[in-house]
Amino acid sequence: MKVVGKHIPHDSAVGHVTGEALFVDDLPSAKDELIVDFIASPVAHGKIIRFNFEELSQLDGIAGIFTHADLPGHNLFGPVIQDERFLAEDIVEYVGQPIAVIAGESRKAVRQAKKQLQLEIEELAPVFTIDEALAAKQFIGEARELKKGDFEKVWNEAEHKIAGTFLCNGQEQFYLESQAALAWRGENGEILVHSSSQNPTEIQEVVAEALGLGFHEVVCVCKRMGGGFGGKETQAVIPAVMAALVAAKTGRSARVAYTKDDDMRSTGKRHPYKIYYKAGFTGAGKITGVKFDIYSNGGAAADLSTAILERTLLHSDNSYFIPNLVFRAMICKTNFPPNTAFRGFGGPQGMANIENVLQEISIVLKKDALEVRRLNCYGHNDQNVTPYGQIVQNHMLPEIIDQLAETSSYKKRLTEVAEFNRKSVTHLRGLALTPLKFGISFTTSFLNQGNALVNVYKDGTVQVSTGGTEMGQGLNTKIRQLVAEEFAISYDDVRIMITSTEKNNNTSPTAASAGTDLNGMAAVNACQKIRRNLTEFASRYFSAPENGIVPSIEHIHFEAGSVYDDRLPENKLTFRKLVLQAYMGQVSLGERGFYKTPGVNLNRETGKGNPFFYFTSGAAVSEVLIDRFTGQLKLERSDILMDIGESINPGIDRGQIIGGFIQGVGWVTNEDLRYSDKGQLLSYSPTTYKIPNIQDLPDIFNLETLENPQHKINIRRSKAVGEPPLMLCLSVWMAVKHALSSVRNDITPRLNLPATAEEILQRLTELNGDLSNPETTAVRATESEVSLVSLPSISG
Amino acid sequence: MRDYLLIYVNGRRYQVSGAQGFQSLSDFLRYDLGLVGTKVVCAEGDCGSCTVLVGRIGLPNSEGDSKLNYQSINSCIQYLYQLDCAHIITVEALKNKEQIHPIQQAMVDAMGSQCGYCTPGFVMSLAAMQEKEEVMTRKSVQDGLTGNLCRCTGYEQIIDAALNLDAKPVPSVTENFDEKTILSDFAVYLTQAVFCEFEENWNGVARKLKYFVPVSLAEAVSFQQKNDNVTVVAGGTDISVQINKERIEPDCIMSLVHLSELKSIFVDEQFVTVGARVSWSELGKFCQKNLPQLAEIIAIFASPQIKNCGTLAGNIANASPIADSLPFLYVIEAEVELTSPDGVRWLEINQFYQGYKKLAMNPDELITSIRWQMQDPDDLLKLYKVSKRKDLDISTFTAGIYIKMNNNKIQISRLAYGGVGPVVLRLPETEQFLYNKALTLETFLQAGKIAREEIQPISDVRSSADYRLQLAENILMKFYYECCKHQVKKA
Ligand SMILES: Cc1cc2nc3c(=O)[nH]c(=O)nc-3n(C[C@H](O)[C@H](O)[C@H](O)COP(=O)(O)OP(=O)(O)OC[C@H]3O[C@@H](n4cnc5c(N)ncnc54)[C@H](O)[C@@H]3O)c2cc1C
Ligand code: FES
Ligand code: FES
């Protein structure tokens, strides 16, 4: 009856397909419920002069309008640096920033009242791009630096050199369920919040602080999210505070559910980056040293930007050994919504940058890029120390690359692609293989802890609660499997209960791919405590001193739903009967479990340490077809190979890999955030913001995992799989670059991220034209990491 | 005449009138009926989370029996006044007793859901494919599910689910209902027009609203004559989005849903004539056999849900410079039939647009059909749509190119570009340049340069002006390589 390692459908799958699985906005309304919405800033930077909130609050069906002045507690929050306001005070800092909360009897009343809004704001000069922020010296947090060896020396002595600028735009999380919260005021002013949040503890704490309550007076629960991807790690806080504020002020239940448009316009995204790179390398393609000056566009407040930037620093090596390096990094403060977590958490940008560097090295040396990547790849006995001093151990990176090159017929296809490009006047093909190595653990080391509550009932069934939240990643399914396995009972006898701060306190966000690692270990720890109690009881229960069988826990076994003493196996009891006996024997059948990841640390002063418990790794090879006239891209084939240890649930892990990869493909191809030159997001809904569609899948799509006998740690020798596969998408981006590099051989083509059809055609046009033309060079120098569109007025 | 709409939801009968009929189906389901399995994400037809099935009486078969034909729709942009005499099936009704439907089971087994928010929509789209008895292949599943976005799964496991499904005989989701009763109910009511009028009061201001669902063209035309500011709704795929996004606030709606007179495609010796109520799905099917160039565009047009509702007439009347039908209609010089109480007139499409969203059409006129001449199979016709994402995306740039040859020289050329100005544009200078030229690369290289000079596109959310200019030039080269090179070799 082994449950771990099985392909078991998602815990809520039946609820999903029948529509019975409820999300926050599906919960039934109380009779007195108020609908909550907010008034958002229409300008990117300005001073609030006047508004008619008083007047609005008198309109039919409006229960109240609340501003920062109505918050009984404080108006400042932030997971790392407390610099963000729930509700703007006198200054607004981004378009979409909430200024006031409006509550009404119906959606219609709220909508109509909002049309009567008069809001006068004196516009101040905004800052949108990294270049503008650099000029204005607007930063968030401290500059960071990571150094190793002597870059300047190797740069001066380098056989070959490249230098350039890497630019990438942001990405919208695009969870399908928009931000939502439902709040009730209970006895004694206590607040209960249902929140679509990856971080119920933070919601609890922040709601308490905003309302001036103790943490013990607020409960936050989360049954499930309709997707999170990082976008609900911190940013679920604002809607939760809105609902809680209304509930606290009016005593009525309060519901907020953002529209997709408002959600996209007012919440943060993956950070745009600009990285100035320099690399020195040998004629063989071996990197001798790199220097990366890294800038991220943080938006108007810190949010998680500092932690995200840290992960960029720790992933700027990706899978490659760099003997000499300087990474310097800085967060720019701009007038956009505070950028935030998104699957990969700063890793993707750092890894995209170095992949681009390696591709350019291969272009300069006219070598196969795979050869260059393989040459620089982390080794086993040497060439295995990361920039931060951690040794890459028990990994399979070279093996993964070699095996994938083999199974995907990389060499043969590379020749075919070159042949195709020589012949075709209408299309171009490109092929690239990129590896990935992703560090698992929160780099803020203390967050690497989890707790769980396991209750065994008298009929032998079990309820489990952890601080982990379910957003589709299959956490609950895996924990159910782990718990069933611990007691050797059936999967059906275990249920995962709603995540609630009432049962699990001081929890870390479900993030950093560590959800199963931390919460699964904590649940197993609780199970082991109960099992210990039960074992002890069973040893007494089965003992028969008259036959010389004295109580001995060594002889007790849990197997296939039963418990027995191996000296008297015929006396076995079902788990259920044993539990009932134990209850009557006054044995505790409920326990809390706790887990902390051993041995992870990072010294932020020196930049050295062992921030990661282990690495998840893999590689992908992708082939693309480009229309030379329109720049349109077709992903024709992708092959993926991953080392994810021993899978707890292969079906779920397969879903994570495919889903993550395709999400990444969106980031590097069609997901194009465009803003007006006033900082308004123009692509604020699926009409204009194009995430991958079912038609965008590669025609040929192969996915394999491989055995890694060296990986012996972590829960049941599994590996985290949530974030890493996203970065497999870099194979697609690099395949585009590879295609461009076949247009002419005297020039290294540039490629920004995302590689939209427009971006590709622009590069093609450039390549077909005269690149020595100073005009085109000038255009490039002013290019920006965010797309700002100056809108002519449309009339006539 | 009735003063209520008759709608069945999951086999239950509802009479809806007044303000209640003036809301989207998804709001009705979620807020009035508590059927929250249907999710709303975008409220603009672009994600498919709100997909449900709608069954309407189809044409009688040879025995004279009618049945309900089911199709997928986006419930967020179908208002109740579009759904009179329709049976709606939502995800809640797929279970039979406590047994989940095989489509649902297939999704469970293949791990087709992760967060589950998109899942009801996918299940309903799969159910719609089953209703159409489509054979499940990777390609057909992709086509059938184009209108459903999922951010979690990467879709592969949903395709697996669909492919596993094909192996087993699957009961129709409609088997759970007593269709006979519904059909006979509809048969009676379908002969009656619906008119509802109501007042909304808010802060002392009263607003009168009404909606009308005529059952004949004569009623429709006369209603338009008697009322000001009638907002005509065909498929609603443009208009309902505008309402949801509060860009318009119509107070007098006329829904053309019951005008069966306008539901046919006629082909005679001279013309193809498409009725104003012909949906994109129906037109697509027709074109597959008769007009492959347009079929190619329809294949990547919107999604099944949108195509089941939206019409060619609506596309024309909506007057967007990036409407996908227009380059075709321009170069084929189609005509629009306008009907008013005074009679009927035909207007050539190239005369139809007078400026951004300005039509050469009177307020009391209705588009009743569109016709074009059958083309000579030797003529060259090619249509292009460039969009950020290939499928379910609004165009960045469109082009229609039509060429008639005589003695290996271009005798007639017609070029129309969309997305490069406030209306779709013909390119007279380029056309003139092409006259009497041979089909050579040089011809099209030069034509591209001229075309580029003829337009002044703008930058917007979909692309920069530069990209559009470059496309305007390049598309002629693309045309040369795709159509002419091959043509020259043949000759
Ligand atoms: C998700 C989505 C995707 C889309 N994708 C595409 C696409 O790929 N390409 C594209 O071109 N369009 C697209 N559209 C737009 C829309 O679907 C088309 O324009 C469609 O053809 C409109 O037809 P309809 O019947 O739904 O029009 P409606 O919304 O009913 O009406 C549109 C306009 O036409 C008027 N009208 C309708 N019928 C008549 C008539 N008989 N006489 C006079 N006036 C009339 C209406 O009053 C209204 O002003 C998309 C829309 C959505 C929501
Ligand atoms: S809610 Fe997105 S299509 Fe209806
Ligand atoms: S399962 Fe989450 S969006 Fe599809």
Side-chain angles (χ1 to χ4, degrees), chain A residues 532 535-537 539 550-557 565 567:
Chain A
R532 205 174 308 135
T535 304
E536 207 163 79
F537 174 79
S539 72
V550 292
S552 159
I553 53 170
E554 271 85 69
H555 290 283
I556 304 299
H557 300 272
D565 187 312
R567 294 163 299 179

Side-chain angles (χ1 to χ4, degrees), chain A residues 4 82 90 141 271 359 361 378 393 429 453 572 722:
Chain A
V4 166
Q82 302 228 312
D90 52 343
H271 293 64
Q359 195 75 28
I361 291 175
Y378 279 119
Q393 297 179 52
R429 282 211 164 90
L453 172 68
K572 74 173 166 192

Side-chain angles (χ1 to χ4, degrees), chain A residues 457-461 561 573-581:
Chain A
Y457 294 90
K458 283 181 267 179
D459 64 352
T461 60
L573 275 188
T574 60
F575 181 73
R576 177 186 180 138
K577 285 203 175 121
L578 176 80
V579 161
L580 188 60
Q581 292 298 331

Side-chain angles (χ1 to χ4, degrees), chain B residues 44-45 232 234-239 280 301-302 310-311 315 317 323-324 367 385:
Chain B
E44 60 187 16
V232 174
T237 61
D238 276 315
I239 213 89
W280 278 108
F301 181 107
T311 61
N315 199 240
D324 281 341
I367 299 178
K385 166 172 179 162

Side-chain angles (χ1 to χ4, degrees), chain B residues 227-240:
Chain B
N227 291 274
D228 292 337
N229 297 328
V230 178
T231 301
V232 174
V233 178
T237 61
D238 276 315
I239 213 89
S240 304

Side-chain angles (χ1 to χ4, degrees), chain A residues 26 108 627 630 685 691 758, chain B residues 39 200 389 464 467 478:
Chain A
D26 300 335
K108 190 157 195 172
D627 183 316
T630 64
S685 75
I691 68 166
E758 178 173 354
Chain B
K39 309 295 180 210
E200 269 181 4
R389 192 173 67 197
S464 67
Y467 182 51
K478 188 171 166 66

